[in-house]
Coordinates of all heavy atoms in Angstrom, one line a residue:
M657 N -52.9 -21.7 31.9 CA -52.9 -21.2 30.6 C -52.5 -19.7 30.8 O -53.3 -19.0 31.4 CB -54.2 -21.4 29.9 CG -54.3 -20.7 28.6 SD -55.6 -21.3 27.5 CE -57.1 -21.1 28.4
S658 N -51.4 -19.2 30.2 CA -50.9 -17.9 30.4 C -50.8 -17.2 29.0 O -50.2 -17.8 28.2 CB -49.6 -17.8 31.2 OG -49.2 -16.4 31.4
V659 N -51.4 -16.1 28.8 CA -51.5 -15.4 27.6 C -50.2 -14.3 27.6 O -50.0 -13.7 26.5 CB -52.7 -14.6 27.3 CG1 -53.9 -15.7 27.2 CG2 -53.0 -13.5 28.4
W660 N -49.5 -14.2 28.6 CA -48.4 -13.2 28.7 C -47.1 -14.1 29.1 O -47.2 -15.2 29.7 CB -48.7 -12.1 29.6 CG -48.9 -12.5 31.0 CD1 -50.1 -12.9 31.6 CD2 -47.9 -12.5 32.0 NE1 -49.9 -13.1 33.0 CE2 -48.6 -12.8 33.2 CE3 -46.6 -12.2 32.1 CZ2 -47.9 -13.0 34.5 CZ3 -45.8 -12.3 33.3 CH2 -46.6 -12.8 34.5
Q661 N -46.0 -13.4 28.8 CA -44.7 -14.0 29.1 C -43.7 -12.9 29.5 O -43.6 -11.9 28.8 CB -44.3 -14.9 27.9 CG -42.8 -15.2 27.8 CD -42.6 -15.9 26.5 OE1 -43.4 -16.1 25.6 NE2 -41.2 -16.2 26.4
P662 N -43.0 -13.0 30.6 CA -42.0 -11.9 30.9 C -40.9 -12.0 29.8 O -40.4 -13.0 29.4 CB -41.4 -12.4 32.3 CG -42.3 -13.5 32.6 CD -43.1 -14.0 31.4
I663 N -40.5 -10.7 29.4 CA -39.4 -10.6 28.5 C -38.6 -9.4 29.1 O -38.9 -8.8 30.0 CB -39.8 -10.3 27.2 CG1 -40.7 -9.0 27.1 CG2 -40.5 -11.4 26.5 CD1 -41.0 -8.5 25.6
A664 N -37.3 -9.2 28.6 CA -36.5 -8.1 29.0 C -37.3 -6.7 28.8 O -37.6 -6.5 27.7 CB -35.2 -8.1 28.3
G665 N -37.4 -6.1 29.9 CA -38.0 -4.7 29.8 C -39.5 -4.7 29.8 O -40.2 -3.6 29.6
G666 N -40.2 -5.9 30.1 CA -41.6 -6.0 30.0 C -42.2 -7.2 30.0 O -41.7 -8.2 30.5
V667 N -43.4 -7.3 29.2 CA -44.0 -8.6 29.1 C -44.4 -8.8 27.5 O -44.7 -7.7 26.9 CB -45.3 -8.8 30.0 CG1 -44.9 -8.9 31.3 CG2 -46.3 -7.8 29.6
A668 N -44.5 -10.0 27.1 CA -45.2 -10.2 25.7 C -46.5 -10.7 26.0 O -46.7 -11.7 26.8 CB -44.2 -11.2 25.0
L669 N -47.5 -10.1 25.3 CA -48.8 -10.6 25.3 C -49.2 -11.2 24.0 O -49.1 -10.7 22.8 CB -49.8 -9.3 25.5 CG -51.3 -9.5 25.8 CD1 -51.4 -10.3 27.0 CD2 -51.9 -8.1 25.9
H670 N -49.6 -12.5 24.1 CA -50.0 -13.3 22.9 C -51.4 -13.1 22.6 O -52.4 -13.4 23.4 CB -49.7 -14.8 23.2 CG -48.2 -15.0 23.7 ND1 -47.2 -14.9 22.7 CD2 -47.7 -15.1 24.8 CE1 -46.0 -15.2 23.4 NE2 -46.3 -15.3 24.7
L671 N -51.8 -12.6 21.4 CA -53.1 -12.3 20.9 C -53.5 -13.1 19.7 O -52.7 -13.4 18.9 CB -53.1 -10.8 20.7 CG -52.7 -9.8 21.7 CD1 -52.7 -8.4 21.1 CD2 -53.6 -9.9 22.9
R672 N -54.8 -13.2 19.7 CA -55.4 -13.7 18.4 C -56.5 -12.6 18.0 O -57.4 -12.5 18.8 CB -56.1 -15.0 18.5 CG -56.8 -15.5 17.3 CD -57.3 -16.9 17.2 NE -57.6 -17.2 16.0 CZ -58.3 -18.3 15.6 NH1 -58.5 -19.3 16.7 NH2 -58.7 -18.6 14.5
V673 N -56.2 -11.9 17.0 CA -57.0 -10.6 16.6 C -57.9 -11.1 15.5 O -57.5 -11.5 14.4 CB -56.1 -9.5 16.3 CG1 -56.9 -8.2 15.9 CG2 -55.2 -9.3 17.5
T674 N -59.1 -10.6 15.5 CA -60.1 -10.7 14.5 C -60.4 -9.2 14.0 O -61.1 -8.5 14.8 CB -61.3 -11.4 14.8 OG1 -60.9 -12.7 15.3 CG2 -62.3 -11.6 13.6
P675 N -60.0 -8.7 12.9 CA -60.3 -7.4 12.5 C -61.8 -7.4 11.8 O -62.3 -8.6 11.5 CB -59.4 -7.0 11.3 CG -58.8 -8.3 10.9 CD -59.0 -9.3 12.0
R676 N -62.4 -6.3 11.5 CA -63.7 -6.3 10.9 C -64.8 -6.9 11.7 O -65.8 -7.4 11.1 CB -63.6 -6.8 9.5 CG -63.0 -6.0 8.5 CD -63.2 -6.5 7.1 NE -61.9 -6.4 6.5 CZ -61.5 -7.1 5.4 NH1 -62.4 -7.9 4.8 NH2 -60.3 -7.0 4.9
A677 N -64.6 -7.0 13.0 CA -65.6 -7.6 13.8 C -66.7 -6.5 14.1 O -66.7 -5.3 13.8 CB -64.9 -8.0 15.2
G678 N -67.8 -6.9 14.7 CA -68.9 -6.0 15.0 C -68.6 -4.9 16.0 O -69.4 -4.0 16.1
G679 N -67.6 -5.0 16.7 CA -67.1 -4.0 17.7 C -65.8 -4.4 18.2 O -65.2 -5.3 17.9
D680 N -65.3 -3.5 19.2 CA -64.1 -3.7 19.9 C -64.2 -4.4 21.2 O -65.0 -3.9 22.0 CB -63.3 -2.3 20.1 CG -63.0 -1.6 18.7 OD1 -63.1 -2.3 17.7 OD2 -62.6 -0.5 18.8
R681 N -63.7 -5.5 21.4 CA -63.9 -6.2 22.7 C -62.8 -7.2 22.9 O -62.2 -7.8 21.9 CB -65.2 -6.9 22.7 CG -65.5 -8.0 21.7 CD -66.9 -8.3 21.7 NE -67.2 -9.4 20.7 CZ -67.5 -9.1 19.4 NH1 -67.5 -7.8 19.1 NH2 -67.9 -10.0 18.5
I682 N -62.5 -7.5 24.1 CA -61.6 -8.6 24.5 C -62.4 -9.7 25.0 O -63.3 -9.5 25.9 CB -60.6 -8.0 25.6 CG1 -59.7 -6.9 25.1 CG2 -59.7 -9.2 26.1 CD1 -58.8 -6.3 26.1
E683 N -62.3 -10.9 24.4 CA -63.2 -12.0 24.8 C -62.6 -12.9 25.8 O -63.3 -13.8 26.2 CB -63.6 -12.7 23.5 CG -64.4 -11.9 22.5 CD -65.0 -12.6 21.4 OE1 -64.4 -13.6 21.0 OE2 -65.9 -12.2 20.8
G684 N -61.4 -12.9 26.1 CA -60.7 -13.8 27.1 C -59.7 -14.7 26.4 O -59.4 -14.7 25.2
A685 N -59.2 -15.5 27.4 CA -58.1 -16.5 26.9 C -58.7 -17.7 26.2 O -59.8 -18.2 26.4 CB -57.4 -16.9 28.1
E686 N -58.0 -18.2 25.3 CA -58.3 -19.5 24.7 C -57.0 -20.2 24.1 O -56.0 -19.6 24.2 CB -59.2 -19.2 23.4 CG -58.5 -18.8 22.2 CD -59.4 -18.7 20.9 OE1 -60.6 -18.2 21.1 OE2 -59.0 -18.9 19.9
A687 N -57.2 -21.5 24.1 CA -56.1 -22.3 23.7 C -56.2 -22.7 22.2 O -57.2 -23.0 21.7 CB -56.2 -23.6 24.5
L688 N -55.1 -22.5 21.6 CA -55.0 -22.8 20.0 C -54.8 -24.3 20.0 O -54.6 -25.0 20.9 CB -53.9 -22.1 19.4 CG -53.9 -20.5 19.5 CD1 -52.7 -20.0 18.8 CD2 -55.1 -20.0 18.8
A689 N -55.0 -24.8 18.7 CA -54.9 -26.2 18.5 C -53.6 -26.8 18.9 O -53.5 -28.0 19.4 CB -55.2 -26.6 17.0
D690 N -52.5 -26.0 18.8 CA -51.1 -26.5 19.2 C -50.9 -26.4 20.7 O -49.8 -26.6 21.2 CB -50.1 -25.8 18.5 CG -50.0 -24.4 18.6 OD1 -50.7 -23.8 19.5 OD2 -49.2 -23.7 18.0
G691 N -51.9 -25.9 21.5 CA -51.8 -25.8 22.9 C -51.4 -24.4 23.4 O -51.4 -24.2 24.6
R692 N -50.9 -23.6 22.5 CA -50.5 -22.2 23.0 C -51.8 -21.5 23.5 O -52.8 -21.6 23.0 CB -49.9 -21.4 21.8 CG -48.5 -21.9 21.5 CD -47.9 -21.0 20.3 NE -48.6 -21.3 19.2 CZ -48.8 -20.4 18.3 NH1 -48.3 -19.2 18.4 NH2 -49.6 -20.7 17.2
A693 N -51.6 -20.5 24.4 CA -52.6 -19.7 25.0 C -52.5 -18.3 24.4 O -51.5 -17.8 24.3 CB -52.6 -19.7 26.5
V694 N -53.6 -17.8 24.0 CA -53.8 -16.5 23.5 C -55.0 -15.7 23.9 O -55.8 -16.4 24.5 CB -54.0 -16.5 21.9 CG1 -52.7 -17.1 21.2 CG2 -55.1 -17.3 21.5
L695 N -54.9 -14.4 24.0 CA -56.1 -13.6 24.3 C -56.8 -13.3 23.1 O -56.2 -12.7 22.1 CB -55.5 -12.3 25.0 CG -56.5 -11.5 25.6 CD1 -57.3 -12.1 26.8 CD2 -55.9 -10.2 26.1
R696 N -58.1 -13.6 23.1 CA -58.9 -13.4 21.9 C -59.4 -12.0 21.9 O -60.0 -11.5 22.9 CB -60.1 -14.4 22.0 CG -61.1 -14.1 20.8 CD -60.5 -14.6 19.6 NE -61.4 -15.5 19.0 CZ -61.3 -15.8 17.6 NH1 -60.5 -15.2 16.9 NH2 -62.2 -16.4 17.1
V697 N -59.0 -11.2 20.8 CA -59.4 -9.8 20.7 C -60.1 -9.6 19.3 O -59.7 -10.1 18.3 CB -58.2 -8.9 20.8 CG1 -58.5 -7.4 20.6 CG2 -57.4 -9.1 22.1
R698 N -61.2 -8.8 19.3 CA -61.9 -8.4 18.1 C -62.0 -6.9 18.0 O -62.3 -6.3 19.0 CB -63.3 -9.1 18.1 CG -63.4 -10.5 18.2 CD -64.8 -11.1 18.2 NE -64.9 -12.5 18.2 CZ -64.8 -13.3 17.2 NH1 -64.7 -12.8 16.0 NH2 -64.9 -14.6 17.3
V699 N -61.7 -6.4 16.9 CA -61.8 -5.0 16.6 C -62.6 -4.8 15.3 O -62.6 -5.5 14.4 CB -60.3 -4.2 16.5 CG1 -59.6 -4.4 17.8 CG2 -59.6 -5.0 15.4
A700 N -63.3 -3.6 15.3 CA -64.1 -3.3 14.2 C -63.4 -2.6 13.0 O -63.8 -2.8 11.8 CB -65.2 -2.2 14.5
A701 N -62.1 -2.2 13.3 CA -61.3 -1.6 12.3 C -60.9 -2.7 11.2 O -60.8 -3.8 11.5 CB -60.1 -1.0 12.9
V702 N -60.6 -2.2 10.0 CA -60.1 -2.9 8.9 C -58.6 -3.1 9.0 O -57.9 -2.2 9.5 CB -60.6 -2.3 7.6 CG1 -62.0 -2.4 7.5 CG2 -60.1 -1.0 7.3
P703 N -58.1 -4.2 8.5 CA -56.7 -4.4 8.5 C -55.9 -3.7 7.3 O -55.5 -4.3 6.3 CB -56.5 -6.0 8.3 CG -57.6 -6.4 7.6 CD -58.8 -5.4 8.1
D704 N -56.0 -2.4 7.4 CA -55.5 -1.6 6.2 C -54.8 -0.4 6.9 O -55.3 0.4 7.6 CB -56.7 -1.1 5.4 CG -56.2 -0.1 4.2 OD1 -55.3 -0.5 3.5 OD2 -56.8 1.0 4.1
R705 N -53.5 -0.2 6.4 CA -52.6 0.7 6.8 C -52.4 0.9 8.4 O -52.4 1.9 9.0 CB -53.0 2.1 6.3 CG -53.1 2.1 4.7 CD -53.4 3.5 4.2 NE -53.5 3.2 2.7 CZ -53.7 4.3 1.9 NH1 -53.8 5.5 2.4 NH2 -53.8 4.1 0.7
G706 N -52.5 -0.3 9.0 CA -52.3 -0.3 10.5 C -53.5 0.1 11.3 O -53.4 0.2 12.5
R707 N -54.7 0.3 10.7 CA -55.9 0.6 11.4 C -56.3 -0.4 12.5 O -56.6 0.0 13.6 CB -57.1 0.9 10.5 CG -56.9 2.2 9.7 CD -58.0 2.5 8.9 NE -57.8 3.7 8.1 CZ -57.8 3.7 6.8 NH1 -58.1 2.6 6.1 NH2 -57.5 4.9 6.2
A708 N -56.2 -1.7 12.1 CA -56.6 -2.7 13.1 C -55.6 -2.8 14.2 O -56.1 -2.9 15.4 CB -56.8 -4.1 12.3
N709 N -54.3 -2.7 13.8 CA -53.3 -2.7 14.9 C -53.5 -1.6 15.9 O -53.3 -1.7 17.1 CB -51.9 -2.8 14.2 CG -51.6 -4.0 13.5 OD1 -52.1 -5.0 13.8 ND2 -50.6 -3.9 12.7
A710 N -53.8 -0.4 15.4 CA -53.9 0.8 16.2 C -55.1 0.5 17.2 O -54.9 0.9 18.3 CB -54.0 1.9 15.3
A711 N -56.2 -0.1 16.7 CA -57.3 -0.4 17.5 C -57.0 -1.3 18.5 O -57.5 -1.3 19.8 CB -58.5 -0.8 16.6
V712 N -56.4 -2.4 18.1 CA -55.9 -3.4 19.2 C -55.1 -2.6 20.3 O -55.3 -3.0 21.5 CB -55.1 -4.6 18.5 CG1 -54.5 -5.4 19.7 CG2 -56.0 -5.3 17.6
L713 N -54.1 -1.9 19.9 CA -53.2 -1.2 20.9 C -54.1 -0.4 21.9 O -53.9 -0.4 23.1 CB -52.2 -0.3 20.3 CG -51.0 -1.1 19.7 CD1 -50.1 -0.1 18.9 CD2 -50.2 -1.8 20.6
A714 N -55.0 0.4 21.4 CA -55.8 1.3 22.1 C -56.7 0.4 23.0 O -56.9 0.8 24.2 CB -56.7 2.2 21.2
L715 N -57.3 -0.6 22.5 CA -58.2 -1.5 23.4 C -57.5 -2.2 24.5 O -57.9 -2.1 25.7 CB -58.9 -2.5 22.5 CG -59.8 -3.6 23.1 CD1 -61.1 -2.8 23.8 CD2 -60.2 -4.6 22.1
V716 N -56.3 -2.7 24.2 CA -55.6 -3.4 25.2 C -55.0 -2.5 26.3 O -55.1 -2.7 27.5 CB -54.4 -4.3 24.6 CG1 -53.6 -5.0 25.8 CG2 -55.2 -5.5 23.9
A717 N -54.5 -1.3 25.8 CA -53.9 -0.4 26.7 C -55.0 0.2 27.6 O -54.8 0.3 28.8 CB -53.3 0.8 26.0
G718 N -56.2 0.5 27.1 CA -57.3 1.0 27.9 C -57.7 -0.1 29.0 O -58.0 0.3 30.0
A719 N -57.7 -1.3 28.5 CA -58.1 -2.5 29.5 C -57.2 -2.5 30.6 O -57.5 -2.9 31.7 CB -58.4 -3.8 28.7
L720 N -55.9 -2.3 30.3 CA -54.7 -2.4 31.3 C -54.6 -1.3 32.1 O -53.9 -1.2 33.1 CB -53.5 -2.9 30.6 CG -53.6 -4.3 30.0 CD1 -52.2 -4.5 29.3 CD2 -53.7 -5.3 31.1
G721 N -55.2 -0.1 31.6 CA -55.0 1.1 32.4 C -53.6 1.8 32.1 O -53.0 2.4 33.1
V722 N -53.0 1.5 31.0 CA -51.6 2.0 30.7 C -51.7 2.9 29.4 O -52.6 2.7 28.6 CB -50.6 0.9 30.6 CG1 -50.5 0.0 31.8 CG2 -51.0 0.0 29.3
P723 N -50.7 3.7 29.2 CA -50.8 4.6 28.0 C -50.4 3.6 26.8 O -49.8 2.6 26.9 CB -49.5 5.5 28.3 CG -49.0 5.3 29.5 CD -49.6 4.1 30.2
R724 N -51.0 4.0 25.8 CA -50.8 3.4 24.5 C -49.3 3.5 24.1 O -48.7 4.6 24.2 CB -51.7 4.0 23.3 CG -52.1 3.1 22.3 CD -53.0 3.7 21.5 NE -52.4 4.0 20.2 CZ -52.9 4.6 19.2 NH1 -54.1 4.9 19.2 NH2 -52.2 4.8 18.1
G725 N -48.8 2.4 23.5 CA -47.3 2.4 23.3 C -47.0 1.8 22.0 O -47.6 1.2 21.4

């Protein structure tokens, strides 16, 4: 089960994000009902004006040790 896929110029990371969670954390890989693999991510930020997306980028970039992009 792979949550990433090589693409031109990098990789695509398949995520399942839950905003308004109790904190920011990466919970690990899980399989969806259709068999696709995703990385389960929870962030405390609300899904308003890109706040949750920004929190996801910061969390994943920090976990990978790369600059936020």
